[in-house]
Amino acid sequence: TVVTIYDLIPLRFPALVSARARLLFRLTTWLALRRARQVIAISEATRQDVMATFGVAADRITAVSLAADPRFEPQPKSEKVRVRQKFGLPERYALYFGINKPHKNLVRLVNGLPAGVPLVIAGAWDVRYEAGLKTAVSQISHKPIRLLGPIDNDDLPALLSGATLFVFPSLCEGFGLPVLEAMACGTPVACSNLSSLPEVGGEAAAYFDPTDEAAMGEEIGRLWGDETRREQMVTAGLAQAARFSWQTAAEQTLNIYREIC
């Protein structure tokens, strides 16, 4: 048996799930790891989490990185204009794309957002966690913030490509695909310095402490006003995204199966 572990977020953030769900998650994960000849983790950060939490030996678990889908690439101006018009967005905007669960840290992002930076929050919407975010947005009436909710797959590459800056303040990620997808679309990225995000963003992203609203806001503000640095980050981000591929992931996965056979 080979088992792939995406993340241990239900154990890292117990408030997200019930006590029963946490117990089942821990038990089933432990059983799966106990039976597996080899384990795959989707990032080195997840690999370290699994070893520390469940005592898996280092030679039994391998990190195999994910990659952005090929449809994530810089989009033509016509597509970016189409998406801006569709959603009524300004010509310049900062973008967060992802779900709205508490560990994504969106309330701190809203609180720390510099005045004058339009923020668009888009992605899958879980109604269980909407109250805190909507309350934060309503209390900061002087900040231009839009909550778009779920986005059609056909619109997402242009939404990412059209953003002046992509922000991702998550406290924990199994991998962090949105960071890679934004870079592949030619968008500068400012993200959390925790969990797997530094290994995904490499030297191409700008990082901040996601627990410090002021520091987050300062970094976003600096990038928002520095066109030269953003242009440098576009080039670096495209190169960083190109380092990850599904071909490589497939080859690494196949090698693990061959070794145990």
Side-chain angles (χ1 to χ4, degrees):
T1 301
V2 176
V3 63
T4 297
I5 304 295
Y6 281 75
D7 61 60
L8 300 183
I9 289 174
L11 303 182
R12 294 282 303 276
F13 295 87
L16 289 176
V17 296
S18 67
R20 180 176 179 273
R22 287 198 305 277
L23 178 62
L24 287 172
F25 180 87
R26 182 178 287 276
L27 176 61
T28 54
T29 302
W30 178 78
L31 289 171
L33 291 169
R34 187 176 180 221
R35 287 181 57 86
R37 284 281 301 278
Q38 284 292 322
V39 182
I40 295 173
I42 62 171
S43 67
E44 181 60 30
T46 294
R47 178 176 178 268
Q48 294 295 330
D49 274 355
V50 173
M51 289 193 297
T53 304
F54 292 99
V56 175
D59 61 355
R60 287 185 56 229
I61 181 167
T62 304
V64 177
S65 298
L66 308 184
D69 189 277
R71 68 194 175 93
F72 291 101
E73 59 181 359
Q75 298 294 296
K77 182 178 180 180
S78 59
E79 271 297 287
K80 292 187 282 188
V81 170
R82 179 188 66 79
V83 166
R84 281 206 311 268
Q85 292 176 344
K86 177 176 180 178
F87 296 108
L89 304 179
E91 187 170 346
R92 297 184 70 210
Y93 58 91
L95 174 68
Y96 164 86
F97 175 75
I99 201 166
N100 61 314
K101 287 184 177 180
H103 72 278
K104 298 295 188 177
N105 204 29
L106 296 181
V107 172
R108 284 198 183 104
L109 172 60
V110 168
N111 289 338
L113 185 71
V117 177
L119 174 64
V120 176
I121 297 175
W125 197 254
D126 191 323
V127 295
R128 293 176 297 174
Y129 309 113
E130 67 179 357
L133 179 56
K134 287 191 171 181
T135 298
V137 171
S138 67
Q139 290 175 345
I140 308 178
S141 57
H142 63 284
K143 294 184 180 180
I145 300 171
R146 291 280 307 281
L147 304 178
L148 296 186
I151 299 295
D152 291 340
N153 283 337
D154 292 342
D155 293 331
L156 183 52
L159 185 68
L160 285 165
S161 290
T164 301
L165 181 66
F166 182 78
V167 292
F168 202 68
S170 182
L171 299 170
C172 184
E173 291 292 315
F175 182 74
L177 265 178
V179 166
L180 210 58
E181 291 164 348
M183 288 182 171
C185 287
T187 301
V189 172
C191 65
S192 161
N193 62 5
L194 299 182
S195 189
S196 60
L197 295 178
E199 67 183 274
V200 174
E203 296 182 0
Y207 298 98
F208 51 73
D209 178 353
T211 65
D212 187 332
E213 293 175 359
M216 190 189 313
E218 288 174 6
E219 187 60 35
I220 292 171
R222 277 195 294 268
L223 289 175
W224 184 260
D226 191 340
E227 184 176 1
T228 300
R229 189 180 177 201
R230 292 199 311 273
E231 289 175 351
Q232 294 169 345
M233 293 175 70
V234 168
T235 302
L238 289 169
Q240 177 70 6
R243 294 179 59 237
F244 298 82
S245 77
W246 285 117
Q247 179 68 30
T248 300
E251 290 172 355
Q252 291 174 339
T253 301
L254 183 58
N255 285 339
I256 291 168
Y257 278 83
R258 283 175 172 154
E259 286 172 6
I260 69 170
C261 287

